[in-house]
């Protein structure tokens, strides 16, 4: 097997290094080991990825970062086929994943998101869920959510990512949580995406911890405020609280920019009321 071959190669490399120790100093030995074992470690890592159903190319691709364009995709969902960027349109979007349908924490989370629908709409935010189960499973789960959580409906789509295409693109797969088929499930990821289709926020929770969607709303309030005003939001800020002036704006400029007033606590710490009317 691949693992046995790798173990044998590592053993041979180690033995070769030991034989050279009689006429080499410790630093050259360490250099030899590093050069010998690095490719073997990579082979082992790729073999693990292959067993988990991931391609070597996906395993080595660049990490998704804040400021990147959110990967576009077309996928089946509980509300039909979704073309992601087209679906977002001129709105903000929240993409959030779940380990599996018909699970306790996920059931409470989808209900919480549904009950916040007026808050999402107020902020021009569309929400969309995802798990690696199929559409039939989603439909059955939605009925459970309605029955057990006091929801009249689940009005947002849930992506059916059975082939893990979207999960790979957004790096949402949990290699420690494997299903009966030997394939990884998704972690509790949250992505906030702007109308410009750029990733604005990424948060990952463990499977055992349900998400606080009031916090997601708070962050969206901050993102939307700071997208249009040259301020940042301090610790524990909530909508309507005082803000701080960004360092790129001088105090003199800030006083002209923010007619509600600017308090200079330090040259780098200037406080101003929420600039929105």
């Amino acid at each position: 097997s691949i693992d046995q071959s790798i173990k044998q190669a590592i053993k041979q490399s180690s033995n070769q290094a030991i034989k050279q120790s009689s006429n080499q100093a410790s630093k050259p030995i360490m250099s030899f080991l590093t050069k010998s074992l690095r490719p073997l470690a990579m082979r082992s890592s790729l073999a693990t990825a292959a067993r988990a159903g991931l391609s070597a190319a996906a395993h080595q691709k660049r990490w998704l970062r804040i400021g990147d364009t959110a990967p576009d995709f077309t996928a089946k969902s509980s509300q039909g086929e979704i073309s992601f960027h087209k679906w977002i349109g001129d709105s903000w979007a929240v993409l959030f994943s779940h380990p599996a349908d018909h699970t306790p924490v996920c059931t409470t989370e989808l209900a919480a998101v549904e009950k916040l629908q007026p808050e999402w709409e107020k902020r021009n935010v569309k929400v969309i869920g995802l798990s690696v189960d199929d559409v039939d499973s989603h439909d059955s789960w939605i009925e459970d959510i309605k029955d057990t959580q006091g929801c009249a409906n689940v009005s947002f789509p849930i992506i059916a990512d059975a082939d893990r295409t979207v999960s790979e693109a957004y790096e949402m797969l949990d290699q420690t949580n494997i299903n009966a088929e030997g394939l990884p499930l998704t972690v509790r990821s949250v992505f906030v995406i702007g109308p410009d289709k750029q990733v604005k926020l990424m948060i990952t929770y463990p499977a055992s911890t349900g998400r606080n969607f009031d916090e997601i709303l708070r962050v969206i309030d901050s993102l939307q405020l700071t997208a249009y005003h040259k301020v940042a939001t301090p610790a524990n800020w909530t909508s309507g609280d005082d803000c701080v002036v960004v360092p790129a704006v001088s105090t003199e400029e800030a006083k002209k920019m923010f007619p509600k007033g600017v308090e200079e606590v330090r040259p780098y710490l200037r406080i101003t009321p929420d600039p929105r009317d």
Side-chain angles (χ1 to χ4, degrees), residues 42-243:
M42 177 61 74
R43 284 174 57 196
S44 178
S45 178
L46 294 178
T48 300
R51 285 194 298 272
L54 303 178
S55 67
H59 186 69
Q60 298 182 78
K61 73 181 182 64
R62 176 183 176 276
W63 291 104
L64 188 65
R65 299 186 179 106
I66 289 175
D68 286 350
T69 297
D72 195 12
F73 58 85
T74 299
K76 295 179 181 178
S77 83
S78 58
Q79 296 183 5
E81 189 171 85
I82 296 283
S83 180
F84 191 49
H85 283 192
K86 184 178 180 181
W87 175 83
I88 293 173
D90 295 327
S91 301
W92 292 67
V94 173
L95 168 64
F96 62 112
S97 60
H98 304 273
D101 294 359
H102 300 280
T103 52
V105 176
C106 299
T107 298
T108 64
E109 287 188 319
L110 264 70
V113 170
E114 177 62 27
K115 291 172 183 177
L116 288 171
Q117 197 62 38
E119 297 298 324
W120 306 120
E121 292 175 358
K122 186 189 302 182
R123 294 163 174 80
N124 188 31
V125 174
K126 294 180 178 179
V127 292
I128 186 167
L130 177 147
S131 86
V132 295
D133 295 299
D134 60 25
V135 171
D136 288 342
S137 176
H138 289 351
D139 290 342
S140 172
W141 186 28
I142 287 170
E143 293 305 312
D144 274 2
I145 294 167
K146 290 159 61 176
D147 288 344
T148 65
Q149 303 299 307
C151 294
N153 193 18
V154 174
S155 58
F156 55 88
I158 307 170
I159 296 165
D161 190 34
D163 64 1
R164 274 80 170 161
T165 299
V166 181
S167 301
E168 283 193 26
Y170 282 83
E171 298 158 1
M172 296 187 289
L173 294 173
D174 181 0
Q175 302 303 327
T176 69
N177 193 8
I178 306 299
N179 68 9
E181 290 74 39
L183 297 172
L185 302 176
T186 43
V187 291
R188 296 189 196 285
S189 295
V190 180
F191 297 87
V192 175
I193 298 160
D196 58 2
K197 312 304 183 290
Q198 290 185 355
V199 176
K200 307 297 184 183
L201 169 79
M202 301 186 296
I203 307 177
T204 299
Y205 294 73
S208 58
T209 303
R211 285 162 279 205
N212 184 334
F213 288 97
D214 288 330
E215 167 63 7
I216 305 303
L217 286 170
R218 187 191 78 87
V219 174
I220 290 172
D221 285 340
S222 173
L223 289 168
Q224 293 183 342
L225 170 64
T226 58
Y228 304 112
H229 299 277
K230 294 186 177 181
V231 294
T233 55
N236 300 322
W237 175 91
T238 57
S239 185
D241 289 353
D242 288 350
C243 307

